[in-house]
Amino acid sequence: MRKNKIHNAIALAFTGITLSLAAPLALAQEAEAEETAVDTQNVEKIAVVGARGAPRSVTSSPVPVDVLSAEDIEAVAFTDMNNVLMTLVPSYSVSRQPISDGGTFIRPATLRGMPTDKTLVLVNSKRRHRAALVSIGGSGTQGPDIATIPTAAIGSVEVLRDGAAAQYGSDAIAGVINFQLKENTEGGSFTADYGSYFEGDGDQITITGNKGFALGDDGFLSISAEYSDSEATFRGEQYCESWFCVDDQSEQYIADATAMANSVHGSDEVQPWGQPNSSGTRIFFNSGYSLTSEMELYAFGNYSESEGDGSFFYRYPGNGTIEDIRLEDGSIWNPTEFFPGGFTPRFSGEVTDYSFVGGIKGMSGDLGYDISGRYGYNDISYTLANTINPSMGNESPTSFQPGDLTNEETQIQADFTYDLAEYVLAFGASYLDESYKISEGEVDSYFAGPYATSDPWGFCDGDAASAAGLAVIATGSTLDCADSDDAVYTVVGVGSNGFPGYSPDYSGTYSRDSYAVYTDISGDITDELFAQAAIRYEDYSDFGSEVVYKVAGIYQVSDVVAVRSSYGTGFRAPTPGQQGTTNVSTRLPDGFPVATGLFPAGGDVAQALGAEELLPEKSTNFTLGLTASYGDLTFTLDYYNIKLEDRLYSVSTRDVSTTVVTDPDADGYDAYQNFLALDGAGVSGAASIGGVFFFQNAFDTVTEGVDAVATYKIESTYGSTMLTGSINYNKTEFDSDPSEYLNDEDQFDLENGTPEMRGVFSVTHSYDVWSAVARLSYYGEYENAADSTLDPETIQTFGSEFMFDIEGSYLINENLTLSVGVRNLFDNYPDEGTIGETCCGRIYRSDSVVDWQGGYYYTRLAARF
């Protein structure tokens, strides 16, 4: 374990019409908006809605939107923005995946049951660039890494829970998340946060700060920074399975194995399970300068560096990696000579992320304009240690640089609004150039050494020794060509074991450009009815063109109650990363490690396996909701239905075997044909690959659910109390036959593998210099299948769970606040896994949405100046 390092603005919401509509009107509406939003404690939060830019309450929005203030975010005891959103928005979920290649460092999330790349992320109403990581399973998600956004930089967050592709373009199928940066011209804040888990591990330190500066009399510069450091947690047990148990080995082996574990990851368990070590430094700036009363220059951007490290699965003798091989001199060699107690590969990633956005906005008569350009860059550089390239035998190094992944985006955008008295007409255009680069790793990380093939030195001629074989026998070799189990026939894997490097064949740059034009109109049809409509045309260099549209409206039944609804279509083009990513990693389908290859759907390898070129995903969204505002009580209830056609998903892993099977009706025939396809496509080390898969437009799904949100404020002589409750029900089902692409197990898990119910209930109370927050998070039950038999004995039901958080704060003086709190006060854990997937020292499902780290306590000192 590493040594611990001691270490108002209006919430801008965007319900239906392009967020950029509000920006050009901001100058003209500034006085009105500030007056409306003075009372930041108002139960009914205010948001700029519609083309006129006039403030509207959340309950008068035509589509569901959550507005989270800086105070809401600061009250959550997390440093990762993913965890912050999951705590505050029930329909937003993220899980910890300790063994998931790049997913260990950049965690994919979901909104309304849709993966990250179905949710558009904006910063200051501008599209945020994607991370370089493409998840290698499931939906192959590639979305922005919102963990790069420090909480200190945020003025507010708006979560639009509705399809909005007609306003914002590709990706906005499940919704939109907009992060509004602070715009302070003076003052600032500083916080220092330290905490640890009840188990005595996972120490975390976070230091954040923000400072505002005036740029003359007409401008501002707000700079925010964050440093965080989190140590690993350990929630597993010693590796002990029916096929191999560390505790059953010799005393010397146990000593060697535990020594390896301690030196590599700081635990006696050879297979660690928990959160990885991670640290990061993140900087954001936001600036603006008014050239005139109706024209403003603006710029914002970020730079962040973060790193983390985690472990892969433990390699034990006889598992296909630690095997006897015959060297060129005829002697037997085994990787235990490098690693006497087996080895656990250690995977590290360094993530660099930066962006810059600049533009000019303002009003010219009734015409509003916002013209901007942006550039975004994200890079992941991998390192793999404590492992070998098995095919190189005793010549193998034990650490590797397997390569880098880079995502770049450049966009030019122009948005306009025109005031038509009762209505606002909006229109605009954008051009986007994006690329995804896979950089070649060092040669040893992908090199196919001699032991990737049987009898690499030509010792045998059938069952008899060749001249070369006789020569080594003469010098004392135990070579026996008649014995099929002799080490001379051993075939082992190619490349750095755990994560082979990117070879020249699978490196390169995938790029495309696209342009879009849109128009929409919104306004009050009558005093009771507000409506809006939008249409968008997009054209991609690799996927052609598409037209999408949306209509939405809200009808005020009375002063208290309103009904709202929306209907729209969506379009999402697979990213260059999803089209080009390749990966060979180790999976454990039945507890045994198998090298599994992911290949691009449009490449020769996947095409040889039956893959087809990827197509765009298309969606249809419908919502129907009820809003109510009565005194200090606000309530919203919204039903949603998302139909997703041609959904992008990874096919179930297809077996690969070198065993010759020529009968099409016999078991193993398909696996042998897959080997022949890989070999014929020239895949290096095809004989050592045990499974293959690729992304496809595999099936259609229907996701439907209900969101309910209520807030109530109580004022008394004992202080002010805010009650908040939000519940999400979400269910996804197939809308087409997926059996061609998914096996029965994967079909079952997609429909049943996450909780259908989630809820968050909180109470915030303040009195004099004291304040307290209590929060209860609820997760409903869910199921997971261990295999495709779907036998009841191989399906586990995970029960519902409650997590309770509490925090108390004391205002030392007008500038300094001390807070102490506990997350998961009662130290709850999800059910322990009882089926085969929870193996190898793992106690809890590592991909569980329910946190499995246990209770966490912390203290925070916050200063404002």
Side-chain angles (χ1 to χ4, degrees):
M1 183 181 295
R2 293 180 303 163
K3 188 175 182 181
N4 184 37
K5 301 176 183 178
I6 297 299
H7 341 73
N8 280 333
I10 295 178
L12 176 64
F14 39 84
T15 62
I17 196 161
T18 308
L19 276 173
S20 59
L21 304 184
L25 298 174
L27 295 172
Q29 299 292 337
E30 182 177 0
E32 180 183 358
E34 288 182 355
E35 181 180 350
T36 306
V38 166
D39 182 9
T40 60
Q41 298 301 315
N42 194 349
V43 173
E44 194 168 47
K45 294 183 177 180
I46 301 299
V48 176
V49 179
R52 293 178 300 173
R56 298 174 67 95
S57 69
V58 169
T59 53
S60 66
S61 301
V63 289
V65 59
D66 298 312
V67 180
L68 309 175
S69 67
E71 290 75 17
D72 294 329
I73 295 169
E74 292 169 0
V76 178
F78 280 105
T79 60
D80 189 319
M81 186 61 73
N82 278 299
N83 293 49
V84 172
L85 289 182
M86 186 177 73
T87 302
L88 298 175
V89 182
S91 57
Y92 186 93
S93 294
V94 64
S95 61
R96 168 66 62 194
Q97 302 181 37
I99 298 182
S100 185
D101 296 338
T104 303
F105 318 119
I106 299 177
R107 297 188 295 158
T110 63
L111 179 68
R112 283 188 161 178
M114 296 280 103
T116 305
D117 55 6
K118 310 298 188 295
T119 299
L120 179 62
V121 175
L122 307 174
V123 175
N124 279 359
S125 306
K126 305 300 180 184
R127 179 182 286 262
R128 179 72 173 165
H129 61 275
R130 300 184 184 95
L133 174 69
V134 177
S135 300
I136 61 174
S139 296
T141 295
Q142 185 190 8
D145 180 14
I146 68 171
T148 59
I149 304 175
T151 56
I154 302 304
S156 64
V157 180
E158 300 86 35
V159 182
L160 173 62
R161 295 176 276 111
D162 187 38
Q167 289 83 33
Y168 311 115
S170 183
D171 301 346
I173 287 178
V176 182
I177 301 175
N178 183 43
F179 294 90
Q180 286 293 109
L181 302 177
K182 291 178 179 177
E183 299 182 354
N184 48 317
T185 59
E186 60 182 7
S189 62
F190 172 86
T191 65
D193 185 301
Y194 172 78
S196 183
Y197 285 93
F198 288 6
E199 293 287 336
D201 57 11
D203 290 1
Q204 299 183 27
I205 177 74
T206 305
I207 299 173
T208 67
N210 168 268
K211 181 67 177 75
F213 302 91
L215 299 180
D217 295 330
D218 302 305
F220 72 92
L221 171 64
S222 182
I223 300 176
S224 304
E226 176 182 278
Y227 169 79
S228 65
D229 184 87
S230 300
E231 295 186 351
T233 60
F234 299 93
R235 299 293 180 269
E237 58 191 4
Q238 190 58 282
Y239 193 111
C240 188
E241 303 294 343
S242 60
W243 51 86
F244 188 86
C245 181
V246 171
D247 292 336
D248 291 344
Q249 308 307 305
S250 67
E251 291 185 6
Q252 185 60 52
Y253 185 92
I254 294 173
D256 290 336
T258 54
M260 178 279 299
N262 273 287
S263 65
V264 172
H265 53 253
S267 169
D268 287 340
E269 286 77 31
V270 298
Q271 177 65 69
W273 293 101
Q275 73 175 20
N277 294 310
S278 64
S279 63
T281 301
R282 306 168 184 91
I283 300 172
F284 250 91
F285 81 92
N286 188 29
S287 62
Y289 190 84
S290 297
L291 300 176
T292 70
S293 61
E294 294 186 337
M295 181 183 297
E296 179 185 358
L297 291 174
Y298 62 88
F300 59 91
N302 80 290
Y303 181 85
S304 74
E305 290 185 347
S306 60
E307 60 182 351
D309 58 82
S311 292
F312 284 160
F313 289 105
Y314 172 62
R315 272 61 168 167
Y316 52 85
N319 76 336
T321 299
I322 302 181
E323 301 284 355
D324 288 341
I325 59 175
R326 280 203 181 274
L327 302 180
E328 190 174 9
D329 64 2
S331 64
I332 290 179
W333 183 84
N334 190 285
T336 52
E337 295 190 28
F338 284 175
F339 304 105
F343 66 92
T344 306
R346 194 70 174 173
F347 191 52
S348 302
E350 296 183 0
V351 181
T352 302
D353 184 282
Y354 53 84
S355 67
F356 178 82
V357 180
I360 185 170
K361 62 183 178 181
M363 297 290 296
S364 178
D366 292 329
L367 179 70
Y369 58 89
D370 185 344
I371 301 172
S372 65
R374 72 173 180 91
Y375 173 78
Y377 175 95
N378 184 275
D379 176 88
I380 308 175
S381 180
Y382 291 134
T383 301
L384 195 61
N386 202 57
T387 188
I388 59 171
N389 179 338
S391 70
M392 296 178 66
N394 62 331
E395 299 296 324
S396 173
T398 57
S399 63
F400 305 85
Q401 299 290 330
D404 301 346
L405 302 175
T406 305
N407 190 87
E408 289 186 90
E409 298 176 23
T410 302
Q411 185 175 21
I412 300 173
Q413 184 169 336
D415 301 292
F416 303 92
T417 62
Y418 191 79
D419 191 352
L420 299 173
E422 294 298 324
Y423 305 96
V424 169
L425 175 68
F427 54 95
S430 72
Y431 172 80
L432 173 63
D433 181 85
E434 50 190 327
S435 66
Y436 185 80
K437 182 179 180 181
I438 302 176
S439 299
E440 180 182 342
E442 63 180 9
V443 174
D444 287 345
S445 71
Y446 61 80
F447 177 64
Y451 306 102
T453 58
S454 178
D455 189 16
W457 308 115
F459 289 154
C460 298
D461 184 5
D463 291 343
S466 65
L470 292 172
V472 296
I473 290 174
T475 60
S477 172
T478 59
L479 173 69
D480 184 357
C481 293
D483 181 4
S484 60
D485 292 329
D486 190 279
V488 73
Y489 298 117
T490 301
V491 176
V492 291
V494 171
S496 44
N497 187 249
F499 192 92
Y502 299 112
S503 70
D505 292 340
Y506 299 107
S507 302
T509 300
Y510 300 80
S511 60
R512 70 156 176 240
D513 58 8
S514 62
Y515 65 86
V517 293
Y518 75 91
T519 185
D520 52 30
I521 190 169
S522 64
D524 292 313
I525 306 299
T526 68
D527 290 342
E528 293 80 20
L529 178 63
F530 175 86
Q532 49 195 23
I535 187 169
R536 187 182 190 93
Y537 171 84
E538 291 191 321
D539 187 273
Y540 287 80
S541 60
D542 51 357
F543 288 109
S545 60
E546 185 73 18
V547 175
V548 294
Y549 64 89
K550 179 178 179 178
V551 293
I554 184 167
Y555 182 76
Q556 199 71 37
V557 178
S558 68
D559 292 340
V560 175
V561 177
V563 177
R564 61 188 178 189
S565 185
S566 68
Y567 181 87
T569 60
F571 171 88
R572 198 196 75 84
T575 68
Q578 290 172 324
Q579 297 178 70
T581 191
T582 183
N583 178 276
V584 177
S585 58
T586 302
R587 294 188 173 189
L588 276 75
D590 298 302
F592 297 93
V594 174
T596 306
L598 166 69
F599 299 98
D604 293 340
V605 176
Q607 294 276 305
L609 297 166
E612 298 178 354
E613 293 277 359
L614 297 181
L615 301 171
E617 299 169 289
K618 298 180 181 180
S619 67
T620 302
N621 292 64
F622 171 73
T623 66
L624 178 63
L626 175 73
T627 74
S629 179
Y630 184 76
D632 291 325
L633 173 68
T634 64
F635 175 75
T636 62
L637 179 69
D638 294 280
Y639 164 80
Y640 57 89
N641 184 291
I642 307 171
K643 293 184 178 180
L644 188 58
E645 298 179 16
D646 298 323
R647 182 166 179 171
L648 185 71
Y649 213 79
S650 61
V651 302
S652 295
T653 301
R654 301 181 178 185
D655 293 337
V656 177
S657 175
T658 57
T659 302
V660 178
V661 180
T662 57
D663 182 359
D665 297 325
D667 291 341
Y669 176 79
D670 290 340
Y672 180 60
Q673 293 301 308
N674 289 334
F675 163 71
L676 294 178
L678 291 180
D679 192 53
V683 176
S684 178
S688 66
I689 293 178
V692 291
F693 66 108
F694 44 84
F695 296 127
Q696 283 288 268
N697 298 98
F699 46 79
D700 304 337
T701 60
V702 175
T703 298
E704 62 179 344
V706 176
D707 284 319
V709 181
T711 63
Y712 184 64
K713 185 176 182 181
I714 303 172
E715 295 284 1
S716 71
T717 55
Y718 301 102
S720 175
T721 303
M722 176 71 76
L723 306 176
T724 304
S726 52
I727 299 175
N728 171 253
Y729 168 82
N730 189 88
K731 177 69 175 177
T732 295
E733 295 180 337
F734 291 105
D735 199 35
S736 67
D737 182 5
S739 58
E740 180 181 351
Y741 303 99
L742 298 185
N743 60 34
D744 290 343
E745 177 188 358
D746 289 342
Q747 292 179 46
F748 182 89
D749 289 345
L750 187 145
E751 292 188 323
N752 303 280
T754 56
E756 294 181 2
M757 292 289 295
R758 271 219 54 207
V760 178
F761 311 91
S762 64
V763 179
T764 302
H765 181 76
S766 59
Y767 177 71
D768 195 24
V769 295
W770 299 93
S771 63
V773 178
R775 181 181 298 108
L776 181 68
S777 297
Y778 169 78
Y779 302 84
E781 67 176 32
Y782 59 100
E783 296 179 301
N784 181 263
D787 57 44
S788 289
T789 65
L790 300 187
D791 186 290
E793 294 184 357
T794 64
I795 296 176
Q796 181 174 358
T797 299
F798 294 84
S800 58
E801 295 291 342
F802 291 90
M803 302 286 182
F804 185 72
D805 307 335
I806 189 168
E807 177 184 298
S809 299
Y810 174 70
L811 187 64
I812 299 173
N813 57 44
E814 62 180 7
N815 298 320
L816 200 60
T817 303
L818 177 65
S819 302
V820 294
V822 179
R823 198 169 68 218
N824 191 3
L825 176 65
F826 301 109
D827 200 26
N828 283 352
Y829 286 82
D831 293 343
E832 296 185 5
T834 60
I835 55 179
E837 293 182 357
T838 317
C839 74
C840 315
R842 177 169 31 184
I843 298 175
Y844 309 98
R845 284 194 61 83
S846 53
D847 61 352
S848 171
V849 174
V850 183
D851 184 72
W852 44 278
Q853 306 301 317
Y856 176 86
Y857 59 88
Y858 61 92
T859 183
R860 180 191 305 118
L861 184 65
R864 299 187 183 278
F865 50 89

